[in-house]
Structures are given as C-alpha cells and as structure tokens.
C-alpha cells in the first residue's frame, strides 16, 4: 500500500470513529438507548484492497427506523412493539384503572404509530452528513479515482466479452 492510500485509510478510520461516537451520543441524548442493543451494534470497517477501499457502517436493522422515523399510514410489526413494551414494562390502564396486557398495550401503540408515524431522530444521518462534509478533498478524489478505474475495468471487461462473442 502506498503512502497516499495509507493517509486515506487513516482519514477514513478517523471519520468512522467520529461517526460511531456521535451516533452513540445522539442515541443517549435523545433517550433512544433502552437496551443498548443499537448503541452496541454501531461499528465501522475500513477495508483496503490493492486497487480499492471500502468503508462500511453497521448497526442493528431497526436503526434505520430510529434514524429516519416512520411515516404515517403503515403499522410497524406488532411483535417488535411488543418486545419494546415488555422491555420498558409499559402497560396502559383501562377505564377502570386496571393494567392492560402487554399485547393490548403493544396493539394500541402499533395503531398509534400507523396513524401518526414516528419523528426522525437523525442520530446517525446528521453526524454522517456533517462528517462527510469535512472529509478531506483527497479522500473524495481518491474515491472518485477508484470509481473511475472500476468503471474503466468493467467497460473493458464487457468490451472483451463482446468482441469474443461470449455474452
């Protein structure tokens, strides 16, 4: 690996650490850190190959809903809401003051989410966008070169296959 790609790798690792740290802070600040499952799942990987680099960010699948919210009109899966209600030990009361079951509480919350939606938290999107804006031009240029080289390689491969007659 040449020195230029090493600097790019260092910068990408710095970006990844920033992203994980800020996303975790936002989850805690916005009181979205009930079980720490999403918090603990936040991680990134920088993979350096001879001709390219990858930056991947990982989190629990439901993190997308926490980040982007949910538009009204479609109910979330009740099983996920039931699990959340049980973890937080939330039980609504009926007209007589008796506790409802977790199932009926989850059903009511599911219906409410379907009717009203859930606001976005941008716990991940906001730090990603802010950090991405600050990425050095060198990384952006290096990435652009990687994409250009990949496209050139792919086009050459397709041209060779076309010339050979093997589709």
């Amino acid at each position: 690996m040449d020195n230029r790609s090493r600097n790019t790798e260092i910068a990408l690792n710095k970006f990844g650490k920033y992203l994980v740290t800020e996303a975790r802070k936002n989850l805690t600040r916005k009181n979205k850190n009930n079980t720490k499952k999403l918090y603990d799942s936040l991680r990134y990987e920088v993979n350096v190959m001879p001709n390219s680099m990858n930056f991947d960010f990982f989190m629990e699948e439901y993190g997308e809903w926490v980040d982007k919210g949910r538009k009204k009109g479609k109910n979330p899966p009740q099983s996920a809401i039931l699990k959340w209600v049980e973890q937080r030990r939330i039980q609504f009361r009926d007209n007589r003051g008796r506790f409802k079951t977790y199932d009926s509480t989850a059903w009511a919350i599911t219906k409410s989410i379907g009717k009203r939606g859930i606001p976005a938290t941008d716990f991940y999107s906001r730090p990603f966008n802010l950090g991405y804006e600050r990425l050095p031009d060198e990384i952006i240029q290096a990435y652009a070169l990687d994409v250009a080289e990949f496209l050139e390689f792919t086009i050459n491969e397709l041209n060779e296959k076309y010339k050979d007659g093997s589709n």
Side-chain angles (χ1 to χ4, degrees):
M1 173 176 17
D2 64 32
N3 195 25
R4 182 172 161 189
S5 60
R6 178 72 184 141
N7 291 329
T8 304
E9 181 181 9
I10 290 168
L12 285 173
N13 275 307
K14 184 177 176 183
F15 172 67
K17 287 175 187 174
Y18 163 81
L19 186 55
V20 169
T21 300
E22 291 302 309
R24 286 180 173 168
K25 282 182 191 176
N26 287 339
L27 283 173
T28 302
R29 188 178 309 125
K30 295 176 186 226
N31 200 22
K32 300 291 181 187
N33 197 9
N34 180 38
T35 64
K36 285 203 170 213
K37 188 174 180 183
L38 179 57
Y39 181 97
D40 290 339
S41 73
L42 299 176
R43 66 182 179 83
Y44 72 94
E45 286 181 6
V46 176
N47 296 312
V48 179
M49 283 77 71
N51 297 319
S52 64
M53 284 189 194
N54 281 349
F55 178 87
D56 294 311
F57 187 80
F58 302 96
M59 66 179 148
E60 286 288 329
E61 190 174 334
Y62 70 91
E64 175 186 352
W65 300 111
V66 175
D67 185 62
K68 295 187 180 2
R70 188 176 195 101
K71 293 182 180 178
K72 61 182 179 180
K74 186 175 179 188
N75 293 345
Q78 188 170 339
S79 60
I81 301 300
L82 176 61
K83 188 175 179 182
W84 179 81
V85 164
E86 288 173 341
Q87 288 169 344
R88 289 199 173 210
R89 302 182 56 86
I90 298 171
Q91 288 180 281
F92 294 154
R93 293 181 185 254
D94 64 16
N95 293 339
R96 297 171 145 178
R98 296 177 298 192
F99 286 109
K100 291 186 174 188
T101 64
Y102 287 127
D103 282 329
S104 62
T105 300
W107 179 83
I109 292 173
T110 300
K111 288 295 186 185
S112 177
I113 291 171
K115 185 177 181 180
R116 295 186 181 112
I118 299 175
T121 63
D122 293 328
F123 83 92
Y124 159 72
S125 297
R126 182 166 166 70
F128 179 86
N129 291 332
L130 291 172
Y132 186 78
E133 287 173 11
R134 293 190 325 226
L135 277 176
D137 287 339
E138 184 179 327
I139 292 176
I140 295 168
Q141 291 169 359
Y143 180 73
L145 286 173
D146 286 344
V147 170
E149 289 172 8
F150 172 74
L151 290 174
E152 184 179 335
F153 173 78
T154 303
I155 289 170
N156 288 341
E157 284 256 322
L158 290 172
N159 284 339
E160 288 299 318
K161 285 183 181 179
Y162 183 74
K163 287 178 187 176
D164 293 343
S166 59
N167 306 23

